[in-house]
Amino acid sequence: MPGEQPQTYETLDERFRTGRCQAGDSKLETLFEGCRWAEGPVYVPAGRYLLWSDIPNDRLLRWDETTGAVGVFRSPAGYPNGNTLDGQGRLITCEQGNRRVTRTEHDGSVTVIAERFKGKRLNSPNDAVVRSDGSVWFSDPEFGIATDYEGHRAESEIGARNVYRVDPGSGEVRVAAEGFQGPNGLVFSSDERKLYVSDSVANHIRVFDVRPNGTLTGGDVFAECRGGNFDNIRFDDEGRLWAAAMHGGVHCYDPDGTLLGRILVPGTVANIRFGGARRNRLFIAADTTLYSLVMSVTGTPPLPPVSR
């Protein structure tokens, strides 16, 4: 019918409706168009702005929540992919082109957190998460060295695609989990007792138990994607897991692994992030566009400050 709005939510399980997962905005809001391939949104509460990656254009972009203005935050930026904040509000960036993970200090200088494992260059760090103890965890597939589109074509020196942990004291880079085909998004449960990792090639999400010393056990499959391909993942504060699923939009999973529903997005959804003053605004990086959706669910709170 003329003027009919496209469907935004698809309910697959009644819990999607009773949990009011679909009771927010009725349509997506377009914040910016003009990327080549958008990834890695991260909301910065202190400045009320969002940063995200435009990988092939080798830049980080900045959207101002108060004005709606968009500008370049950094270029060149090492073909950046995933971004997150540490407990002090500093930016952590996975630089595919530079094959490293960096931290942007409060004065704007850049510190390299990880670029080698046992003397060999990393493949192309993809996504990162910081635990409350200050350790930085990141995935390292080969997407950025496969072609010159999102990095620089090269052979893997390590010969494996792992998830790594950077020790907050020594800075040592250790393998946290292995046996992946294409490790991508990763996120801790709210109590940090479990780590969830998506594998974009195997097309499933695995869940690991986190021991007190930071080592992992388990690795069972939590969910398999039957419509799209998994990319990054995020939790809301009621324990539901939200997953960017490429052509499948955004998937919502109950803690028991049941697919409850989907957010339908035009284009290919690469990354998502909760943000805004109440953490109920979902930012969606899809193809060339940055969208947002003010929702009736709330993302998990940011990390507590780390005492030094």
Side-chain angles (χ1 to χ4, degrees):
M1 294 177 60
E4 183 177 356
Q5 295 293 335
Q7 181 182 356
T8 301
Y9 304 95
E10 179 184 24
T11 298
L12 302 174
D13 184 288
E14 188 60 24
R15 287 171 287 180
F16 194 66
R17 195 183 313 278
T18 58
R20 298 184 59 80
C21 297
Q22 86 301 4
D25 283 352
S26 60
K27 63 178 181 178
L28 296 169
E29 178 182 2
T30 300
L31 302 181
F32 180 77
E33 295 179 287
C35 298
R36 270 201 164 89
W37 180 246
E39 291 253 18
V42 59
Y43 182 77
V44 183
R48 294 188 62 187
Y49 60 84
L50 183 94
L51 299 175
W52 82 100
S53 302
D54 182 3
I55 305 177
N57 282 326
D58 193 13
R59 61 183 182 174
L60 282 167
L61 296 174
R62 180 184 185 275
W63 171 81
D64 188 289
E65 186 177 28
T66 61
T67 66
V70 173
V72 175
F73 178 79
R74 181 182 298 155
S75 181
Y79 290 86
N81 195 322
N83 299 283
T84 195
L85 301 179
D86 70 5
Q88 297 184 44
R90 297 172 297 186
L91 177 67
I92 306 295
T93 300
C94 293
E95 299 180 6
Q96 289 191 164
N98 290 334
R99 300 169 70 171
R100 66 186 191 179
V101 181
T102 62
R103 180 179 65 234
T104 300
E105 309 294 347
H106 293 305
D107 64 4
S109 61
V110 175
T111 300
V112 177
I113 295 175
E115 59 183 344
R116 293 181 181 272
F117 173 66
K118 293 185 176 179
K120 299 179 180 179
R121 294 189 71 187
L122 298 171
N123 297 325
S124 56
N126 186 282
D127 197 15
V129 65
V130 181
R131 203 162 178 245
S132 60
D133 64 359
S135 57
V136 178
W137 304 60
F138 65 93
S139 57
D140 188 40
E142 297 180 1
F143 305 143
I145 59 174
T147 71
D148 290 317
Y149 187 68
E150 293 188 358
H152 307 291
R153 184 183 300 177
E155 294 294 324
S156 171
E157 295 183 14
I158 296 173
R161 299 163 291 277
N162 301 320
V163 170
Y164 295 94
R165 176 185 182 271
V166 183
D167 186 87
S170 66
E172 181 184 0
V173 179
R174 304 173 183 172
V175 172
E178 53 192 354
F180 298 96
Q181 297 181 48
N184 198 319
L186 61 168
V187 66
F188 285 106
S189 58
S190 60
D191 61 9
E192 297 189 329
R193 294 180 180 178
K194 295 184 182 295
L195 176 70
Y196 293 73
V197 182
S198 70
D199 190 319
S200 295
V201 178
N203 211 14
H204 57 217
I205 297 170
R206 295 171 63 187
V207 56
F208 298 85
D209 294 312
V210 185
R211 293 192 181 108
N213 65 359
T215 59
L216 303 179
T217 61
D220 292 342
V221 173
F222 170 77
E224 295 181 344
C225 191
R226 294 181 174 84
N229 290 87
F230 284 134
D231 203 298
N232 90 316
I233 46 182
R234 292 288 176 260
F235 273 108
D236 67 27
D237 62 2
E238 294 189 17
R240 290 174 293 243
L241 184 68
W242 298 78
M246 306 295 274
H247 295 292
V250 180
H251 290 190
C252 174
Y253 291 89
D254 187 79
D256 68 9
T258 302
L259 177 59
L260 302 179
R262 300 193 301 155
I263 299 172
L264 306 179
V265 181
T268 305
V269 180
N271 274 196
I272 56 174
R273 173 78 66 157
F274 286 102
R278 300 184 178 182
R279 304 190 310 278
N280 66 336
R281 189 171 194 168
L282 185 67
F283 295 95
I284 303 171
D287 281 335
T288 62
T289 306
L290 177 69
Y291 299 100
S292 82
L293 192 69
V294 178
M295 303 185 68
S296 52
V297 302
T298 303
T300 53
L303 284 172
V306 178
S307 59
R308 298 293 181 187

